[in-house]
Every structure is written in C-alpha cells, then in structure tokens.
Amino acid sequence: MAAPLYHTESGELYHAGKIIIICVGLPARGKTHISRALERYLHWMGVTTKVFSMGDYRRRHIGGAQSLPPDYFTHGPRLAETQKLRTMVKVGCEGNIMKFFREERGQVAIYDANNGTKRSRKEIAERFAKEGIHVIFLGLTETSCTDPSIIDANIRGVKIWSPDYKGWDPEEAVKDYWKRIQYNEAYYEPLAELTHPYIKIVNVGEEVLINAIEGYLQSRIIYFLMNMHNKHRTIYFARSGQSLIEHSYKADSDLSPAGWEYAEKLKNFVVEHRFRTTEERAKLGLPSADNRLVVWTSTRRRAHHTAWPFVDLGYRVVEKQAMSEINPGVWDGLSPETVQRLYPDEWARFLKDPFAHRAPRAESYYDLNVRLESTIIELERERDDLLIIAHASVIRCLLAYLMGLPAHEVPAIEIARGDLVEVVPASYGVQSRTFHFWSGPGRASMDKNAGIDDNFYENYAEATQGKKPTESEPAALLPTPADPTEPLES
C-alpha cells in the first residue's frame, strides 16, 4: 500500500501507534542493510520512520575504529574511561529515539545496534514500553548467521568500506572486524525471550520465526522482511525506445527504426558497462557477486521490443503488466493548450498537485504507485542484477522508492531516453549514477524550438533534452553531473 493521501494530527497511520524495532545480533549479520531497507519501505508507505544507528552515533561523537580505546569492544572489565564512553553513546542514541517520538511525531524507530544480552534488551524494552511504545525485537539482526562465508562476504563487501575503516588497508580492516565479532561472541545471548514480540531471520532469509506479532502495520513489516535479502546487486533503469506513434497511449505502437537502433545501443552499452564494473570491483578488492542479469519490461510493445536484443544474447526477459505506463485517460494525445481549453478546472488541479490529481478516466501517480507495489516487492526479492526497461512514469515511481524521495517529487524526476540510471542499494546509503549512451531521434521529450511534447501527461518532468556529455569525454562512459532533479548519491 503506497502512502495514503491524508495525514493525521498525531502523525501516526494504520492505527498502529508508535513502534520501536530493536535490532539484535552479532556484527556483520546484515542489521544495517535490513534496517535501511525497512526504513525505505515504511517511508514509501507514508510512515514516519527513522533508523538510529549506535555505530553512527559513536562515530559522530568519538570517531572511527582508530579513535577507540583497545578495550572498547572487549568482554569483561574495562577501563573507567572506556565504560564512560560506551554509556555516553548508548544513552545519547536512545535519547535521540525518545526525542523522535516526543518532538518529531515519529511513528517507527529502528534501533540498529547489537543489543547482545538479555539484560540490555530487557532494560531497553521496559524503558520504551513505559512510554506506550510498542516493542518488537528484530532477530534478523540476530540472524543466527551460521555460514562463515556470508559473514566474510558481508565484511569485505560492506564493513571495511564503512566510515570506521576509512584509510585502512582492506586486509587489516577485515582482521580487525573479525576480532570485533569474536569479542561480541564472548557475551552474546541469542534472542529467545517470549516477553515481547519478535521476528527472527536465520541466514538472511533461509528461515523466519515470528512471535506474538499483531496489527496491520506489523504484518506489513513481516511481509517485507520475508521478501528481502542483503546480497549485493545492481539495478539499472532505461526508457524504452522511440515508437512509431509516440504520443498515443491507446495505439501501443511498435518501435520506429530509430527505436530498434536504440535497443541495440542499450544492449551493447549495458553489456560493456557490466564487464567494466566487474573489473573495477576486482581492482578495489571487492568480492565479485557474479550475478546474472535479468531484464524486466512492461507488456507494451515498445518496452518489451526494446529488450529483444537481450533475448538474442540469452538473457532472461520478464514482461510485467503492472509496469505499463501511466494511463492519461481523456488527455491521451492532447497538447497542454488543448487541455487548458477543454478542461480548465482539471488543468488547474493538476498543476496544483501533479502527484495526486487524477485526470478524467486516467491514473494519478498515486494510483500508479499502488499498482507498482507487487513490482516493488519482487524488486526487493530479486537476487540477480536487474535491467528495468520501462516508461518514464514507471521509472520515476521506482526510483523515488529506492532513493527514499517524498511523493510530491515523483512527477519532477527527470529520466531522459538515452540515459542509463544505475542504482546500488547499500548499507550506508543508496548509490546512484547516470550514464549517457544515446543522442539519436526520440531522446528529447521537449524540443527547445517546438514547445512541449504532446505526451506531456507521461512526460510532465521532461523539460530538457536530458544530460549531454562533455566534448572531452566519451559519451558511453560519462556519468551525468549532479542536478537538482536527478536522484544522485543519497
């Protein structure tokens, strides 16, 4: 369910009250990755959600791993100064959570920390329960992650590149982090308490155990967690090629000759780019995921025909009805001037709220978001790399979800034909880059000399010709510069 189009005085939705999700588990079990992904999903549902990472708080107030006392992560007696630092971090982080609920109208807080002993979990749960906050322990954090290869891959792919190990030799960082895990294992007590609701995820999705979970929002959280993973993968977005009849939703026309040429260019660029990315990861010492590439398209002709060159190379191409473009209703094929003349009141409402307004017999961007929920869940579940060849409106909604953008920004996201958008969901933020590979016919949705494209309902945000490469760099390799309308580096 996409974010509702209403707000409550308390800021709480779905009659769920305030919820704190307390992560539990040893380091390198995927707590941060899962926390950020869940935050993204709940944000998409309209729930005011925030991750509170004890590690982030500690880095802001003390520093990275090189700034910590030697006994900071050890088990047993510690120096008084070390214990003082640990207490300061814990109290400060939990104080921020309480402030989030009391002053910021927050509904769901995700507490990303080890919380490795029964005593500490009991103290935290009792403190927040006294404030009327529902407590859920997230035992994915406990992930009973028994496979050493999963842990090692997580350390090499995520932890050694965290702010803790900035400037460290990668192998030294791996050794240091394994020591941290061993220190925590000495006192860690697996999550088994039945006093509060919990969700336990074993080996990142192999098994899910649930205790005393009640309520709609809580059930949605479980639904999401059962369909995700923390495997490294890359998601690519590209618009479909130019069609013979560009400005008609009803026509569903095939690709034009330029559209077929575009499809070949897209295939060549994606294959070459993935090869080079694998080489770059190897040079940086990052583990190679060796993922296959799966292509998703809508069932519209111009979309799935743009994917035909990938079929010829043996890639799996999946057509999804839910990924069809936004339906413009009676505005199909009309110019803005015609719409203003025939539907002046509707036009005024559309300009006031392009996300929520529904033209006669049409879909709004809100409707499209609701339609795409199954696609979003499948996107989270997919473990291979994805290339999504779709329409501008669909790509906007999916990018807004991945980047955590507010709903009102969705119609203003620019995605020009001829640009490949690369998105990598990661534990410490979603990474995004845009590459230009095509400047042929059909790239621009608005010609500077011709006025707004007739297909303005689909391409409302397309007010430029997209990104152009500089003369000094080859177009096939150039990331676009930062732009206020472009979802880069989050």
Side-chain angles (χ1 to χ4, degrees):
M1 179 65 187
L5 297 176
Y6 64 87
H7 302 281
T8 63
E9 186 175 348
S10 66
E12 299 167 12
L13 299 175
Y14 308 110
H15 306 284
K18 293 179 171 61
I19 299 172
I20 181 170
I21 299 173
I22 302 172
C23 297
V24 180
L26 291 166
R29 264 54 174 185
K31 295 188 296 295
T32 299
H33 183 93
I34 300 298
S35 296
R36 297 294 178 184
L38 180 57
E39 177 189 37
R40 182 173 67 234
Y41 179 68
L42 292 176
H43 176 82
W44 179 80
M45 288 185 65
V47 179
T48 305
T49 307
K50 190 173 182 179
V51 173
F52 293 86
S53 168
M54 183 178 286
D56 286 346
Y57 188 92
R58 185 250 306 157
R59 282 185 284 270
R60 285 196 303 270
H61 292 82
I62 302 177
Q66 69 279 359
S67 303
L68 300 176
D71 58 341
Y72 191 88
F73 293 110
T74 59
H75 177 60
R78 302 183 181 91
L79 294 175
E81 186 63 28
T82 302
Q83 189 58 47
K84 182 179 178 181
L85 287 175
R86 288 174 60 90
T87 302
M88 180 270 291
V89 170
K90 177 179 171 62
V91 172
C93 187
E94 293 176 11
N96 284 347
I97 297 175
M98 199 64 76
K99 181 180 178 182
F100 171 71
F101 285 125
R102 291 173 176 171
E103 302 178 17
E104 301 175 25
R105 301 173 72 213
Q107 183 169 9
V108 176
I110 304 174
Y111 189 9
D112 178 11
N114 293 343
N115 298 311
T117 66
K118 293 180 180 179
R119 178 181 175 182
S120 66
R121 295 195 289 267
K122 183 173 183 292
E123 291 174 353
I124 298 168
E126 289 179 348
R127 178 184 180 189
F128 287 98
K130 286 179 182 178
E131 299 290 331
I133 300 167
H134 301 284
V135 175
I136 298 176
F137 288 113
L138 178 54
L140 175 145
T141 47
E142 199 254 42
T143 43
S144 302
C145 199
T146 55
D147 187 345
S149 65
I150 294 177
I151 302 170
D152 191 74
N154 194 18
I155 293 173
R156 293 182 180 276
V158 178
K159 296 300 180 183
I160 66 173
W161 305 102
S162 79
D164 261 346
Y165 294 106
K166 186 176 181 180
W168 281 52
D169 175 78
E171 291 304 319
E172 290 300 317
V174 170
K175 291 178 183 178
D176 184 80
Y177 205 86
W178 270 112
K179 286 181 182 178
R180 187 185 302 187
I181 293 174
Q182 292 164 2
Y183 290 147
N184 280 272
E185 286 176 338
Y187 66 84
Y188 177 71
E189 297 173 303
L191 176 63
E193 302 93 309
L194 300 177
T195 53
H196 290 88
Y198 68 67
I199 308 164
K200 291 203 295 186
I201 303 178
V202 181
N203 287 342
V204 200
E206 287 184 6
E207 183 180 1
V208 179
L209 305 175
I210 301 167
N211 173 61
I213 299 292
E214 299 178 356
Y216 173 77
L217 183 56
Q218 292 89 328
S219 298
R220 300 293 296 186
I221 290 170
I222 294 172
Y223 172 62
F224 176 77
L225 292 174
M226 291 177 69
N227 284 282
M228 70 160 308
H229 58 86
N230 67 349
K231 182 181 177 183
H232 181 277
R233 46 73 180 269
T234 303
I235 304 168
Y236 304 97
F237 294 92
R239 287 182 61 174
S240 56
Q242 183 191 49
S243 59
L244 292 168
I245 305 175
E246 273 284 87
H247 313 314
S248 174
Y249 174 84
K250 296 176 183 177
D252 190 20
S253 63
D254 205 343
L255 293 175
S256 67
W260 287 108
E261 183 181 349
Y262 169 94
E264 284 292 332
K265 290 280 188 180
L266 173 63
K267 179 258 295 182
N268 292 337
F269 181 81
V270 169
V271 171
E272 181 182 354
H273 176 70
R274 277 170 46 80
F275 176 76
R276 294 190 180 188
T277 300
T278 301
E279 288 187 329
E280 290 172 2
R281 286 182 61 83
K283 289 178 182 178
L284 292 172
L286 293 171
S288 177
D290 228 7
N291 292 352
R292 298 178 302 170
L293 179 68
V294 178
V295 182
W296 289 1
T297 79
S298 79
T299 54
R300 307 285 286 181
R301 285 189 181 93
R302 65 181 177 277
H304 70 82
H305 285 183
T306 303
W308 274 15
F310 291 92
V311 175
D312 294 339
L313 290 181
Y315 291 98
R316 184 163 67 95
V317 176
V318 181
E319 297 177 27
K320 293 183 178 293
Q321 177 67 38
M323 284 172 48
S324 294
E325 67 193 284
I326 193 170
N327 186 342
V330 299
W331 290 4
D332 185 24
L334 300 182
S335 68
E337 293 76 19
T338 304
V339 170
Q340 291 178 64
R341 179 169 53 83
L342 297 178
Y343 306 94
D345 293 339
E346 292 288 341
W347 174 256
R349 285 193 285 268
F350 170 72
L351 292 181
K352 185 177 180 180
D353 190 354
F355 176 80
H357 179 70
R358 182 186 298 117
R361 301 180 186 175
E363 286 181 300
S364 66
Y365 269 96
Y366 172 76
D367 298 327
L368 181 57
N369 259 305
V370 173
R371 167 153 60 91
L372 286 171
E373 180 172 15
S374 62
T375 303
I376 286 172
I377 295 300
E378 290 174 26
L379 185 151
E380 291 287 1
R381 187 169 60 233
E382 181 62 63
R383 291 174 176 265
D384 288 317
D385 289 351
L386 274 177
L387 168 61
I388 297 177
I389 301 174
H391 316 279
S393 53
V394 172
I395 295 176
R396 288 191 190 103
C397 291
L398 296 178
L399 277 177
Y401 165 74
L402 288 170
M403 306 301 295
L405 299 177
H408 70 270
E409 292 187 16
V410 172
I413 297 174
E414 181 184 345
I415 173 68
R417 180 177 287 140
D419 289 346
L420 180 74
V421 181
E422 176 188 84
V423 178
V424 181
S427 299
Y428 296 97
V430 176
Q431 302 163 0
S432 175
R433 298 186 295 174
T434 304
F435 301 91
H436 170 70
F437 68 91
W438 169 261
S439 296
R443 171 166 170 77
S445 61
M446 177 178 173
D447 190 287
K448 293 181 179 179
N449 300 316
I452 299 179
D453 193 314
D454 286 343
N455 196 18
F456 76 95
Y457 195 77
E458 162 75 5
N459 296 322
Y460 175 75
E462 306 297 319
T464 74
Q465 294 190 1
K467 305 294 181 248
K468 293 185 176 180
T470 61
E471 295 180 359
S472 60
E473 297 190 65
L477 301 177
L478 179 66
T480 60
D483 183 276
T485 62
E486 202 74 8
L488 299 177
E489 291 274 327
S490 170

